[in-house]
PDB file of all heavy atoms in Angstrom:
ATOM      1  N   GLU J 799      -9.278  -2.202   2.563  1.00 98.00           N
ATOM      2  CA  GLU J 799      -9.678  -3.479   1.981  1.00 98.00           C
ATOM      3  C   GLU J 799     -11.168  -3.550   1.694  1.00 98.00           C
ATOM      4  O   GLU J 799     -11.602  -4.304   0.824  1.00 98.00           O
ATOM      5  CB  GLU J 799      -9.255  -4.630   2.899  1.00 98.00           C
ATOM      6  CG  GLU J 799      -7.741  -4.815   3.006  1.00 98.00           C
ATOM      7  CD  GLU J 799      -7.103  -5.302   1.714  1.00 98.00           C
ATOM      8  OE1 GLU J 799      -7.836  -5.801   0.823  1.00 98.00           O
ATOM      9  OE2 GLU J 799      -5.861  -5.203   1.591  1.00 98.00           O
ATOM     10  N   SER J 800     -11.968  -2.743   2.375  1.00 98.00           N
ATOM     11  CA  SER J 800     -13.412  -2.752   2.124  1.00 98.00           C
ATOM     12  C   SER J 800     -13.776  -2.082   0.810  1.00 98.00           C
ATOM     13  O   SER J 800     -14.879  -2.304   0.281  1.00 98.00           O
ATOM     14  CB  SER J 800     -14.160  -2.076   3.283  1.00 98.00           C
ATOM     15  OG  SER J 800     -13.921  -0.671   3.308  1.00 98.00           O
ATOM     16  N   VAL J 801     -12.852  -1.268   0.257  1.00 98.00           N
ATOM     17  CA  VAL J 801     -13.164  -0.557  -0.994  1.00 98.00           C
ATOM     18  C   VAL J 801     -12.145  -0.804  -2.099  1.00 98.00           C
ATOM     19  O   VAL J 801     -12.283  -0.276  -3.199  1.00 98.00           O
ATOM     20  CB  VAL J 801     -13.281   0.964  -0.752  1.00 98.00           C
ATOM     21  CG1 VAL J 801     -14.428   1.260   0.210  1.00 98.00           C
ATOM     22  CG2 VAL J 801     -11.977   1.567  -0.249  1.00 98.00           C
ATOM     23  N   VAL J 802     -11.110  -1.611  -1.841  1.00 98.00           N
ATOM     24  CA  VAL J 802     -10.036  -1.763  -2.827  1.00 98.00           C
ATOM     25  C   VAL J 802     -10.549  -2.329  -4.146  1.00 98.00           C
ATOM     26  O   VAL J 802     -10.035  -2.003  -5.224  1.00 98.00           O
ATOM     27  CB  VAL J 802      -8.889  -2.624  -2.256  1.00 98.00           C
ATOM     28  CG1 VAL J 802      -9.315  -4.081  -2.076  1.00 98.00           C
ATOM     29  CG2 VAL J 802      -7.665  -2.530  -3.150  1.00 98.00           C
ATOM     30  N   ASN J 803     -11.592  -3.152  -4.090  1.00 98.00           N
ATOM     31  CA  ASN J 803     -12.121  -3.740  -5.319  1.00 98.00           C
ATOM     32  C   ASN J 803     -13.012  -2.791  -6.111  1.00 98.00           C
ATOM     33  O   ASN J 803     -13.542  -3.177  -7.160  1.00 98.00           O
ATOM     34  CB  ASN J 803     -12.874  -5.031  -4.991  1.00 98.00           C
ATOM     35  CG  ASN J 803     -11.935  -6.126  -4.538  1.00 98.00           C
ATOM     36  OD1 ASN J 803     -11.151  -6.652  -5.311  1.00 98.00           O
ATOM     37  ND2 ASN J 803     -12.006  -6.466  -3.247  1.00 98.00           N
ATOM     38  N   SER J 804     -13.139  -1.562  -5.620  1.00 97.00           N
ATOM     39  CA  SER J 804     -13.865  -0.542  -6.384  1.00 97.00           C
ATOM     40  C   SER J 804     -13.000   0.062  -7.474  1.00 97.00           C
ATOM     41  O   SER J 804     -13.489   0.768  -8.353  1.00 97.00           O
ATOM     42  CB  SER J 804     -14.351   0.573  -5.454  1.00 97.00           C
ATOM     43  OG  SER J 804     -13.242   1.347  -4.976  1.00 97.00           O
ATOM     44  N   SER J 805     -11.699  -0.193  -7.427  1.00 97.00           N
ATOM     45  CA  SER J 805     -10.743   0.435  -8.340  1.00 97.00           C
ATOM     46  C   SER J 805      -9.893  -0.615  -9.039  1.00 97.00           C
ATOM     47  O   SER J 805      -9.342  -1.505  -8.382  1.00 97.00           O
ATOM     48  CB  SER J 805      -9.833   1.398  -7.568  1.00 97.00           C
ATOM     49  OG  SER J 805      -8.775   1.855  -8.375  1.00 97.00           O
ATOM     50  N   THR J 806      -9.766  -0.493 -10.358  1.00 96.00           N
ATOM     51  CA  THR J 806      -8.892  -1.399 -11.108  1.00 96.00           C
ATOM     52  C   THR J 806      -7.427  -0.990 -10.975  1.00 96.00           C
ATOM     53  O   THR J 806      -6.538  -1.754 -11.344  1.00 96.00           O
ATOM     54  CB  THR J 806      -9.279  -1.407 -12.587  1.00 96.00           C
ATOM     55  OG1 THR J 806      -9.213  -0.062 -13.102  1.00 96.00           O
ATOM     56  CG2 THR J 806     -10.697  -1.948 -12.782  1.00 96.00           C
ATOM     57  N   ALA J 807      -7.180   0.205 -10.441  1.00 98.00           N
ATOM     58  CA  ALA J 807      -5.801   0.693 -10.317  1.00 98.00           C
ATOM     59  C   ALA J 807      -5.123   0.163  -9.059  1.00 98.00           C
ATOM     60  O   ALA J 807      -3.890   0.158  -8.975  1.00 98.00           O
ATOM     61  CB  ALA J 807      -5.783   2.215 -10.316  1.00 98.00           C
ATOM     62  N   TYR J 808      -5.918  -0.272  -8.072  1.00 98.00           N
ATOM     63  CA  TYR J 808      -5.371  -0.713  -6.786  1.00 98.00           C
ATOM     64  C   TYR J 808      -5.549  -2.207  -6.602  1.00 98.00           C
ATOM     65  O   TYR J 808      -6.381  -2.834  -7.256  1.00 98.00           O
ATOM     66  CB  TYR J 808      -6.056   0.023  -5.636  1.00 98.00           C
ATOM     67  CG  TYR J 808      -5.616   1.462  -5.470  1.00 98.00           C
ATOM     68  CD1 TYR J 808      -6.096   2.460  -6.308  1.00 98.00           C
ATOM     69  CD2 TYR J 808      -4.718   1.820  -4.467  1.00 98.00           C
ATOM     70  CE1 TYR J 808      -5.687   3.782  -6.152  1.00 98.00           C
ATOM     71  CE2 TYR J 808      -4.313   3.128  -4.295  1.00 98.00           C
ATOM     72  CZ  TYR J 808      -4.799   4.109  -5.149  1.00 98.00           C
ATOM     73  OH  TYR J 808      -4.394   5.411  -4.989  1.00 98.00           O
ATOM     74  N   ARG J 809      -4.782  -2.763  -5.677  1.00 98.00           N
ATOM     75  CA  ARG J 809      -4.888  -4.178  -5.345  1.00 98.00           C
ATOM     76  C   ARG J 809      -4.900  -4.358  -3.832  1.00 98.00           C
ATOM     77  O   ARG J 809      -4.396  -3.511  -3.076  1.00 98.00           O
ATOM     78  CB  ARG J 809      -3.719  -4.961  -5.939  1.00 98.00           C
ATOM     79  CG  ARG J 809      -2.363  -4.570  -5.375  1.00 98.00           C
ATOM     80  CD  ARG J 809      -1.262  -5.553  -5.793  1.00 98.00           C
ATOM     81  NE  ARG J 809      -1.022  -5.537  -7.228  1.00 98.00           N
ATOM     82  CZ  ARG J 809      -0.177  -6.361  -7.842  1.00 98.00           C
ATOM     83  NH1 ARG J 809       0.503  -7.261  -7.124  1.00 98.00           N
ATOM     84  NH2 ARG J 809       0.009  -6.293  -9.135  1.00 98.00           N
ATOM     85  N   SER J 810      -5.444  -5.460  -3.391  1.00 98.00           N
ATOM     86  CA  SER J 810      -5.399  -5.815  -1.976  1.00 98.00           C
ATOM     87  C   SER J 810      -3.950  -6.045  -1.553  1.00 98.00           C
ATOM     88  O   SER J 810      -3.139  -6.576  -2.311  1.00 98.00           O
ATOM     89  CB  SER J 810      -6.209  -7.089  -1.733  1.00 98.00           C
ATOM     90  OG  SER J 810      -5.980  -7.591  -0.439  1.00 98.00           O
ATOM     91  N   VAL J 811      -3.635  -5.648  -0.327  1.00 98.00           N
ATOM     92  CA  VAL J 811      -2.295  -5.918   0.214  1.00 98.00           C
ATOM     93  C   VAL J 811      -2.322  -7.067   1.215  1.00 98.00           C
ATOM     94  O   VAL J 811      -1.313  -7.375   1.844  1.00 98.00           O
ATOM     95  CB  VAL J 811      -1.690  -4.658   0.884  1.00 98.00           C
ATOM     96  CG1 VAL J 811      -1.453  -3.568  -0.135  1.00 98.00           C
ATOM     97  CG2 VAL J 811      -2.565  -4.163   2.051  1.00 98.00           C
ATOM     98  N   ALA J 812      -3.475  -7.715   1.352  1.00 98.00           N
ATOM     99  CA  ALA J 812      -3.652  -8.718   2.401  1.00 98.00           C
ATOM    100  C   ALA J 812      -2.615  -9.833   2.336  1.00 98.00           C
ATOM    101  O   ALA J 812      -2.062 -10.245   3.363  1.00 98.00           O
ATOM    102  CB  ALA J 812      -5.060  -9.310   2.324  1.00 98.00           C
ATOM    103  N   THR J 813      -2.333 -10.343   1.141  1.00 98.00           N
ATOM    104  CA  THR J 813      -1.388 -11.456   1.030  1.00 98.00           C
ATOM    105  C   THR J 813       0.053 -11.023   1.245  1.00 98.00           C
ATOM    106  O   THR J 813       0.940 -11.865   1.392  1.00 98.00           O
ATOM    107  CB  THR J 813      -1.504 -12.130  -0.344  1.00 98.00           C
ATOM    108  OG1 THR J 813      -1.258 -11.157  -1.375  1.00 98.00           O
ATOM    109  CG2 THR J 813      -2.886 -12.729  -0.535  1.00 98.00           C
ATOM    110  N   GLN J 814       0.304  -9.703   1.280  1.00 98.00           N
ATOM    111  CA  GLN J 814       1.643  -9.193   1.531  1.00 98.00           C
ATOM    112  C   GLN J 814       1.897  -8.966   3.018  1.00 98.00           C
ATOM    113  O   GLN J 814       3.021  -8.644   3.417  1.00 98.00           O
ATOM    114  CB  GLN J 814       1.857  -7.882   0.773  1.00 98.00           C
ATOM    115  CG  GLN J 814       1.685  -7.994  -0.738  1.00 98.00           C
ATOM    116  CD  GLN J 814       1.761  -6.630  -1.416  1.00 98.00           C
ATOM    117  OE1 GLN J 814       2.794  -5.958  -1.354  1.00 98.00           O
ATOM    118  NE2 GLN J 814       0.677  -6.217  -2.044  1.00 98.00           N
ATOM    119  N   LEU J 815       0.865  -9.116   3.817  1.00 98.00           N
ATOM    120  CA  LEU J 815       0.988  -8.883   5.248  1.00 98.00           C
ATOM    121  C   LEU J 815       1.350 -10.176   5.972  1.00 98.00           C
ATOM    122  O   LEU J 815       1.299 -11.268   5.415  1.00 98.00           O
ATOM    123  CB  LEU J 815      -0.288  -8.255   5.792  1.00 98.00           C
ATOM    124  CG  LEU J 815      -0.651  -6.895   5.157  1.00 98.00           C
ATOM    125  CD1 LEU J 815      -1.945  -6.351   5.748  1.00 98.00           C
ATOM    126  CD2 LEU J 815       0.482  -5.889   5.329  1.00 98.00           C
ATOM    127  N   ASN J 816       1.669 -10.036   7.234  1.00 98.00           N
ATOM    128  CA  ASN J 816       2.291 -11.097   8.021  1.00 98.00           C
ATOM    129  C   ASN J 816       1.268 -12.129   8.485  1.00 98.00           C
ATOM    130  O   ASN J 816       0.752 -12.068   9.600  1.00 98.00           O
ATOM    131  CB  ASN J 816       2.997 -10.453   9.223  1.00 98.00           C
ATOM    132  CG  ASN J 816       4.020 -11.354   9.857  1.00 98.00           C
ATOM    133  OD1 ASN J 816       4.198 -12.499   9.460  1.00 98.00           O
ATOM    134  ND2 ASN J 816       4.707 -10.826  10.864  1.00 98.00           N
ATOM    135  N   GLY J 817       0.958 -13.108   7.592  1.00 97.00           N
ATOM    136  CA  GLY J 817       0.068 -14.192   7.967  1.00 97.00           C
ATOM    137  C   GLY J 817      -1.403 -13.951   7.734  1.00 97.00           C
ATOM    138  O   GLY J 817      -2.228 -14.781   8.134  1.00 97.00           O
ATOM    139  N   LEU J 818      -1.783 -12.854   7.089  1.00 98.00           N
ATOM    140  CA  LEU J 818      -3.208 -12.580   6.883  1.00 98.00           C
ATOM    141  C   LEU J 818      -3.791 -13.473   5.794  1.00 98.00           C
ATOM    142  O   LEU J 818      -4.822 -14.106   5.975  1.00 98.00           O
ATOM    143  CB  LEU J 818      -3.425 -11.104   6.543  1.00 98.00           C
ATOM    144  CG  LEU J 818      -4.858 -10.694   6.176  1.00 98.00           C
ATOM    145  CD1 LEU J 818      -5.846 -11.092   7.284  1.00 98.00           C
ATOM    146  CD2 LEU J 818      -4.939  -9.184   5.924  1.00 98.00           C
ATOM    147  N   GLY J 819      -3.169 -13.538   4.634  1.00 97.00           N
ATOM    148  CA  GLY J 819      -3.716 -14.314   3.530  1.00 97.00           C
ATOM    149  C   GLY J 819      -4.799 -13.545   2.793  1.00 97.00           C
ATOM    150  O   GLY J 819      -5.184 -12.440   3.183  1.00 97.00           O
ATOM    151  N   ALA J 820      -5.302 -14.137   1.731  1.00 98.00           N
ATOM    152  CA  ALA J 820      -6.288 -13.467   0.878  1.00 98.00           C
ATOM    153  C   ALA J 820      -7.588 -13.230   1.628  1.00 98.00           C
ATOM    154  O   ALA J 820      -8.053 -14.083   2.398  1.00 98.00           O
ATOM    155  CB  ALA J 820      -6.540 -14.294  -0.374  1.00 98.00           C
ATOM    156  N   LEU J 821      -8.178 -12.072   1.390  1.00 98.00           N
ATOM    157  CA  LEU J 821      -9.463 -11.724   1.979  1.00 98.00           C
ATOM    158  C   LEU J 821     -10.594 -12.078   1.009  1.00 98.00           C
ATOM    159  O   LEU J 821     -10.365 -12.254  -0.191  1.00 98.00           O
ATOM    160  CB  LEU J 821      -9.501 -10.227   2.301  1.00 98.00           C
ATOM    161  CG  LEU J 821      -8.594  -9.770   3.440  1.00 98.00           C
ATOM    162  CD1 LEU J 821      -8.541  -8.249   3.507  1.00 98.00           C
ATOM    163  CD2 LEU J 821      -9.068 -10.339   4.781  1.00 98.00           C
ATOM    164  N   PRO J 822     -11.829 -12.190   1.499  1.00 97.00           N
ATOM    165  CA  PRO J 822     -12.965 -12.471   0.619  1.00 97.00           C
ATOM    166  C   PRO J 822     -13.070 -11.422  -0.498  1.00 97.00           C
ATOM    167  O   PRO J 822     -12.796 -10.249  -0.272  1.00 97.00           O
ATOM    168  CB  PRO J 822     -14.160 -12.392   1.569  1.00 97.00           C
ATOM    169  CG  PRO J 822     -13.599 -12.691   2.920  1.00 97.00           C
ATOM    170  CD  PRO J 822     -12.225 -12.110   2.918  1.00 97.00           C
ATOM    171  N   ILE J 823     -13.440 -11.881  -1.674  1.00 97.00           N
ATOM    172  CA  ILE J 823     -13.588 -10.959  -2.802  1.00 97.00           C
ATOM    173  C   ILE J 823     -15.066 -10.806  -3.132  1.00 97.00           C
ATOM    174  O   ILE J 823     -15.881 -11.683  -2.816  1.00 97.00           O
ATOM    175  CB  ILE J 823     -12.803 -11.456  -4.031  1.00 97.00           C
ATOM    176  CG1 ILE J 823     -13.294 -12.845  -4.461  1.00 97.00           C
ATOM    177  CG2 ILE J 823     -11.311 -11.471  -3.749  1.00 97.00           C
ATOM    178  CD1 ILE J 823     -12.667 -13.337  -5.743  1.00 97.00           C
ATOM    179  N   PRO J 824     -15.438  -9.701  -3.774  1.00 97.00           N
ATOM    180  CA  PRO J 824     -16.847  -9.489  -4.129  1.00 97.00           C
ATOM    181  C   PRO J 824     -17.337 -10.547  -5.117  1.00 97.00           C
ATOM    182  O   PRO J 824     -16.545 -11.130  -5.875  1.00 97.00           O
ATOM    183  CB  PRO J 824     -16.840  -8.100  -4.773  1.00 97.00           C
ATOM    184  CG  PRO J 824     -15.556  -7.473  -4.368  1.00 97.00           C
ATOM    185  CD  PRO J 824     -14.585  -8.583  -4.178  1.00 97.00           C
ATOM    186  N   GLY J 825     -18.630 -10.785  -5.113  1.00 94.00           N
ATOM    187  CA  GLY J 825     -19.216 -11.718  -6.061  1.00 94.00           C
ATOM    188  C   GLY J 825     -19.060 -11.230  -7.493  1.00 94.00           C
ATOM    189  O   GLY J 825     -19.186 -10.025  -7.777  1.00 94.00           O
ATOM    190  N   LYS J 826     -18.764 -12.144  -8.387  1.00 93.00           N
ATOM    191  CA  LYS J 826     -18.547 -11.789  -9.785  1.00 93.00           C
ATOM    192  C   LYS J 826     -19.830 -11.266 -10.422  1.00 93.00           C
ATOM    193  O   LYS J 826     -20.912 -11.842 -10.260  1.00 93.00           O
ATOM    194  CB  LYS J 826     -18.049 -13.009 -10.559  1.00 93.00           C
ATOM    195  CG  LYS J 826     -17.620 -12.698 -11.983  1.00 93.00           C
ATOM    196  CD  LYS J 826     -17.056 -13.942 -12.662  1.00 93.00           C
ATOM    197  CE  LYS J 826     -16.613 -13.613 -14.082  1.00 93.00           C
ATOM    198  NZ  LYS J 826     -16.074 -14.835 -14.772  1.00 93.00           N
ATOM    199  N   ASP J 827     -19.687 -10.159 -11.143  1.00 94.00           N
ATOM    200  CA  ASP J 827     -20.790  -9.527 -11.880  1.00 94.00           C
ATOM    201  C   ASP J 827     -21.928  -9.053 -10.981  1.00 94.00           C
ATOM    202  O   ASP J 827     -23.051  -8.840 -11.440  1.00 94.00           O
ATOM    203  CB  ASP J 827     -21.351 -10.479 -12.951  1.00 94.00           C
ATOM    204  CG  ASP J 827     -20.307 -10.874 -13.984  1.00 94.00           C
ATOM    205  OD1 ASP J 827     -19.454 -10.022 -14.310  1.00 94.00           O
ATOM    206  OD2 ASP J 827     -20.338 -12.028 -14.457  1.00 94.00           O
ATOM    207  N   LEU J 828     -21.642  -8.892  -9.690  1.00 97.00           N
ATOM    208  CA  LEU J 828     -22.651  -8.364  -8.773  1.00 97.00           C
ATOM    209  C   LEU J 828     -22.373  -6.894  -8.481  1.00 97.00           C
ATOM    210  O   LEU J 828     -21.230  -6.446  -8.478  1.00 97.00           O
ATOM    211  CB  LEU J 828     -22.648  -9.152  -7.464  1.00 97.00           C
ATOM    212  CG  LEU J 828     -23.101 -10.611  -7.547  1.00 97.00           C
ATOM    213  CD1 LEU J 828     -22.973 -11.282  -6.177  1.00 97.00           C
ATOM    214  CD2 LEU J 828     -24.542 -10.708  -8.057  1.00 97.00           C
ATOM    215  N   GLN J 829     -23.417  -6.157  -8.210  1.00 98.00           N
ATOM    216  CA  GLN J 829     -23.285  -4.724  -7.944  1.00 98.00           C
ATOM    217  C   GLN J 829     -23.111  -4.471  -6.447  1.00 98.00           C
ATOM    218  O   GLN J 829     -23.783  -5.094  -5.618  1.00 98.00           O
ATOM    219  CB  GLN J 829     -24.520  -3.970  -8.457  1.00 98.00           C
ATOM    220  CG  GLN J 829     -24.450  -2.467  -8.255  1.00 98.00           C
ATOM    221  CD  GLN J 829     -25.710  -1.752  -8.732  1.00 98.00           C
ATOM    222  OE1 GLN J 829     -26.598  -2.375  -9.333  1.00 98.00           O
ATOM    223  NE2 GLN J 829     -25.803  -0.462  -8.459  1.00 98.00           N
TER     224      GLN J 829
END
């Protein structure tokens, strides 16, 4: 989850897990 947003081919699985919910996402247009 710390690197999933580095790739457009992958997605976070957090919301598919048992009660975790969405994790924080990187700031838009930030490096």
Side-chain angles (χ1 to χ4, degrees):
E799 293 292 343
S800 70
V801 298
V802 69
N803 291 291
S804 70
S805 171
T806 57
Y808 285 78
R809 64 169 65 184
S810 169
V811 295
T813 58
Q814 301 174 62
L815 300 179
N816 198 357
L818 175 55
L821 291 170
I823 59 174
K826 188 177 181 181
D827 299 325
L828 293 177
Q829 182 182 353

